[in-house]
PDB file of all heavy atoms in Angstrom:
ATOM      1  N   THR A   2     -52.341  61.183  25.156  1.00 85.00           N
ATOM      2  CA  THR A   2     -51.291  61.795  24.303  1.00 85.00           C
ATOM      3  C   THR A   2     -51.908  62.286  23.007  1.00 85.00           C
ATOM      4  O   THR A   2     -51.557  63.348  22.511  1.00 85.00           O
ATOM      5  CB  THR A   2     -50.169  60.771  24.022  1.00 85.00           C
ATOM      6  OG1 THR A   2     -49.629  60.339  25.263  1.00 85.00           O
ATOM      7  CG2 THR A   2     -49.063  61.403  23.194  1.00 85.00           C
ATOM      8  N   ALA A  10     -55.318  70.008  11.494  1.00 92.00           N
ATOM      9  CA  ALA A  10     -54.627  69.853  10.168  1.00 92.00           C
ATOM     10  C   ALA A  10     -54.348  68.383   9.876  1.00 92.00           C
ATOM     11  O   ALA A  10     -54.219  68.025   8.729  1.00 92.00           O
ATOM     12  CB  ALA A  10     -53.345  70.646  10.164  1.00 92.00           C
ATOM     13  N   PRO A  16     -59.071  60.932   8.757  1.00 87.00           N
ATOM     14  CA  PRO A  16     -60.359  61.554   8.496  1.00 87.00           C
ATOM     15  C   PRO A  16     -61.368  61.452   9.658  1.00 87.00           C
ATOM     16  O   PRO A  16     -62.219  62.319   9.823  1.00 87.00           O
ATOM     17  CB  PRO A  16     -60.899  60.806   7.280  1.00 87.00           C
ATOM     18  CG  PRO A  16     -59.745  60.108   6.665  1.00 87.00           C
ATOM     19  CD  PRO A  16     -58.719  59.944   7.768  1.00 87.00           C
ATOM     20  N   THR A  17     -61.276  60.401  10.455  1.00 90.00           N
ATOM     21  CA  THR A  17     -62.236  60.274  11.555  1.00 90.00           C
ATOM     22  C   THR A  17     -61.729  60.981  12.818  1.00 90.00           C
ATOM     23  O   THR A  17     -62.308  60.800  13.891  1.00 90.00           O
ATOM     24  CB  THR A  17     -62.559  58.794  11.849  1.00 90.00           C
ATOM     25  OG1 THR A  17     -61.345  58.106  12.119  1.00 90.00           O
ATOM     26  CG2 THR A  17     -63.299  58.184  10.683  1.00 90.00           C
ATOM     27  N   VAL A  20     -60.317  59.710  17.017  1.00 89.00           N
ATOM     28  CA  VAL A  20     -60.717  58.296  17.267  1.00 89.00           C
ATOM     29  C   VAL A  20     -60.325  57.375  16.119  1.00 89.00           C
ATOM     30  O   VAL A  20     -60.706  56.223  16.125  1.00 89.00           O
ATOM     31  CB  VAL A  20     -62.263  58.216  17.513  1.00 89.00           C
ATOM     32  CG1 VAL A  20     -62.621  58.972  18.762  1.00 89.00           C
ATOM     33  CG2 VAL A  20     -63.028  58.747  16.299  1.00 89.00           C
ATOM     34  N   VAL A  32     -36.857  64.284  19.091  1.00 90.00           N
ATOM     35  CA  VAL A  32     -35.481  64.376  18.558  1.00 90.00           C
ATOM     36  C   VAL A  32     -34.909  65.717  19.005  1.00 90.00           C
ATOM     37  O   VAL A  32     -35.497  66.755  18.783  1.00 90.00           O
ATOM     38  CB  VAL A  32     -35.515  64.296  17.006  1.00 90.00           C
ATOM     39  CG1 VAL A  32     -34.094  64.454  16.489  1.00 90.00           C
ATOM     40  CG2 VAL A  32     -36.114  62.980  16.550  1.00 90.00           C
ATOM     41  N   THR A  35     -28.532  68.331  17.370  1.00 92.00           N
ATOM     42  CA  THR A  35     -27.372  69.153  17.713  1.00 92.00           C
ATOM     43  C   THR A  35     -26.693  69.729  16.458  1.00 92.00           C
ATOM     44  O   THR A  35     -25.885  70.633  16.526  1.00 92.00           O
ATOM     45  CB  THR A  35     -26.339  68.333  18.524  1.00 92.00           C
ATOM     46  OG1 THR A  35     -25.923  67.223  17.726  1.00 92.00           O
ATOM     47  CG2 THR A  35     -26.924  67.885  19.822  1.00 92.00           C
ATOM     48  N   ASN A  42     -30.978  73.844  -3.567  1.00 76.00           N
ATOM     49  CA  ASN A  42     -30.827  73.516  -4.996  1.00 76.00           C
ATOM     50  C   ASN A  42     -32.139  73.829  -5.720  1.00 76.00           C
ATOM     51  O   ASN A  42     -32.749  72.986  -6.324  1.00 76.00           O
ATOM     52  CB  ASN A  42     -30.461  72.070  -5.157  1.00 76.00           C
ATOM     53  CG  ASN A  42     -29.039  71.765  -4.802  1.00 76.00           C
ATOM     54  OD1 ASN A  42     -28.171  72.609  -5.029  1.00 76.00           O
ATOM     55  ND2 ASN A  42     -28.755  70.594  -4.263  1.00 76.00           N
ATOM     56  N   LYS A  69     -22.048  77.470  -1.595  1.00 72.00           N
ATOM     57  CA  LYS A  69     -23.231  78.304  -1.355  1.00 72.00           C
ATOM     58  C   LYS A  69     -24.507  77.473  -1.293  1.00 72.00           C
ATOM     59  O   LYS A  69     -25.528  77.972  -0.843  1.00 72.00           O
ATOM     60  CB  LYS A  69     -23.319  79.390  -2.434  1.00 72.00           C
ATOM     61  CG  LYS A  69     -22.203  80.407  -2.384  1.00 72.00           C
ATOM     62  CD  LYS A  69     -22.389  81.433  -3.476  1.00 72.00           C
ATOM     63  CE  LYS A  69     -21.900  80.855  -4.769  1.00 72.00           C
ATOM     64  NZ  LYS A  69     -21.875  81.781  -5.894  1.00 72.00           N
ATOM     65  N   VAL A  74     -25.269  73.520  10.135  1.00 85.00           N
ATOM     66  CA  VAL A  74     -25.487  74.435  11.251  1.00 85.00           C
ATOM     67  C   VAL A  74     -25.530  73.641  12.557  1.00 85.00           C
ATOM     68  O   VAL A  74     -25.902  72.465  12.545  1.00 85.00           O
ATOM     69  CB  VAL A  74     -26.797  75.236  11.060  1.00 85.00           C
ATOM     70  CG1 VAL A  74     -26.718  76.175   9.903  1.00 85.00           C
ATOM     71  CG2 VAL A  74     -27.992  74.300  10.877  1.00 85.00           C
TER      72      VAL A  74
END
Side-chain angles (χ1 to χ4, degrees):
T2 303
T17 56
V20 296
V32 177
T35 58
N42 285 326
K69 293 180 280 186
V74 294

